[in-house]
């Protein structure tokens, strides 16, 4: 009798363990999402090939001083160039020359920009917590509409179009050039804004060039539309020719430092 009960308990425990391991098997993407227009992959497709890992050089534009014609958005001292997403004061912590996502909502620049060259540095939390999209998630969301993903993608599988440096939900980075959690990393982002004609017809899609730790991820790649989760990106309504740079609060204490931006003028100006 006693033996039987033990056997039942053991069998039950094995079953429970199997159920748990099935439920917690790494799920890194979606299979019930639509196909991305012009591609063979679904939005956030877990079957899409993982970008190859490239070990970046020791430094590229790390702590690059702002050129004389740049606007400094964050020099490590204060958030005077930033406001909260809804216009409230930016609530992120500032200390030791960096700002940190503080679960007070995203922030955006006070000023708006059109075509630009942006430099920024970020560090994923040194203490690893969570996985996939729940680990070191933030984002550089240009005009609040085009997201270059910030994520801890060091030994952290997730769907490729949501990796660090991805054009979120649209294009994975060409390679994974991520540094370890806690280490500072650089993004150099060149962006050209979308354009519409007087009849509200889109005449030029937005495009972006992204260099991550000195490694090219995207080169004048066009955005298919505004950032979207699990849906096909579209341009929707016409946006203004300029917009703010947003930094996302995704609930993870990601740090940023040394942020500056230059407007891109045309030739012969
Ligand atoms: Mg994000």
């Amino acid at each position: 009798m006693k033996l039987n009960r033990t056997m039942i308990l053991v069998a039950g425990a094995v079953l429970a363990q199997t159920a748990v391991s099935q439920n917690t098997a790494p799920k890194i993407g979606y299979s019930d999402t639509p196909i991305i227009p012009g591609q063979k992959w679904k939005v956030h497709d877990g079957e899409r090939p993982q970008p190859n890992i490239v070990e970046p050089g020791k430094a590229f534009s790390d702590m690059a001083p702002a050129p004389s014609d740049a606007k400094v958005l964050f020099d490590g001292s204060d958030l005077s160039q930033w406001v909260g997403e809804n216009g409230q004061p930016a609530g992120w912590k500032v200390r030791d020359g960096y700002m940190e996502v503080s679960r007070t909502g995203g922030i955006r620049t006070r000023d708006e920009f059109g075509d630009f060259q942006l430099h920024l540095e970020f560090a994923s939390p040194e203490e690893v917590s969570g996985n996939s999209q729940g680990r070191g998630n933030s984002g550089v969301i240009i005009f609040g509409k085009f997201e270059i993903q910030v994520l801890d993608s060091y030994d952290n599988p997730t769907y490729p179009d949501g990796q660090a440096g991805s054009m979120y939900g649209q294009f994975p980075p060409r390679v994974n050039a991520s540094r370890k959690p806690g280490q500072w990393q650089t993004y150099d982002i060149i962006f050209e804004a979308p354009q519409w004609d007087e009849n509200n017809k889109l005449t030029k899609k937005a495009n972006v060039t992204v260099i991550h730790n000195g490694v090219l991820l995207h080169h004048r790649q066009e955005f298919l539309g505004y950032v979207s989760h699990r849906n096909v990106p579209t341009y929707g309504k016409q946006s203004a020719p300029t917009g703010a740079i947003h930094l996302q609060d995704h609930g993870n204490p990601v740090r940023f430092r040394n942020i500056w931006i230059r407007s891109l003028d045309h030739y012969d100006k």
Side-chain angles (χ1 to χ4, degrees), residues 133 137-141 147-151 168 248 250:
Q133 293 292 301
N137 195 335
S138 179
V140 181
I141 311 182
E147 181 174 10
I148 303 302
Q149 174 71 305
V150 170
L151 196 77
Y168 184 83
Q248 186 184 42
H250 204 282

Side-chain angles (χ1 to χ4, degrees), residues 2 4 13 27 35 47 58 96 120 158 163 170 178 180 190 193 214 223 237 242 249 254 268:
K2 199 174 177 183
N4 282 348
K27 183 172 179 290
I35 295 278
E47 302 296 316
K58 279 203 166 26
D96 299 335
L120 67 82
T158 192
Q163 257 197 3
Q170 304 183 24
S178 295
K180 291 179 180 173
I190 297 123
F223 281 97
K237 281 202 294 195
T242 61
D249 179 351
V254 179
D268 307 318

Side-chain angles (χ1 to χ4, degrees), residues 5 31 43 64 76 91 135 180 250 264 267:
R5 193 170 155 221
S31 56
V43 176
R135 183 168 143 187
K180 291 179 180 173
H250 204 282
L264 289 187
Y267 294 105

Side-chain angles (χ1 to χ4, degrees), residues 51 122 133 136 138-140 147-153 158-178 185-187 189 208-213 215-219 221 223:
F122 70 93
Q133 293 292 301
S138 179
V140 181
E147 181 174 10
I148 303 302
Q149 174 71 305
V150 170
L151 196 77
D152 178 2
S153 281
T158 192
Y159 45 85
D161 70 23
Q163 257 197 3
S166 63
M167 295 165 68
Y168 184 83
Q170 304 183 24
F171 293 95
R174 279 179 161 83
V175 293
N176 179 352
S178 295
Q185 313 195 48
T186 59
Y187 273 169
I189 297 173
V208 76
T209 296
V210 179
I211 300 172
H212 181 196
N213 297 328
V215 179
L216 185 70
L217 304 186
H218 309 284
H219 182 52
Q221 183 62 52
F223 281 97

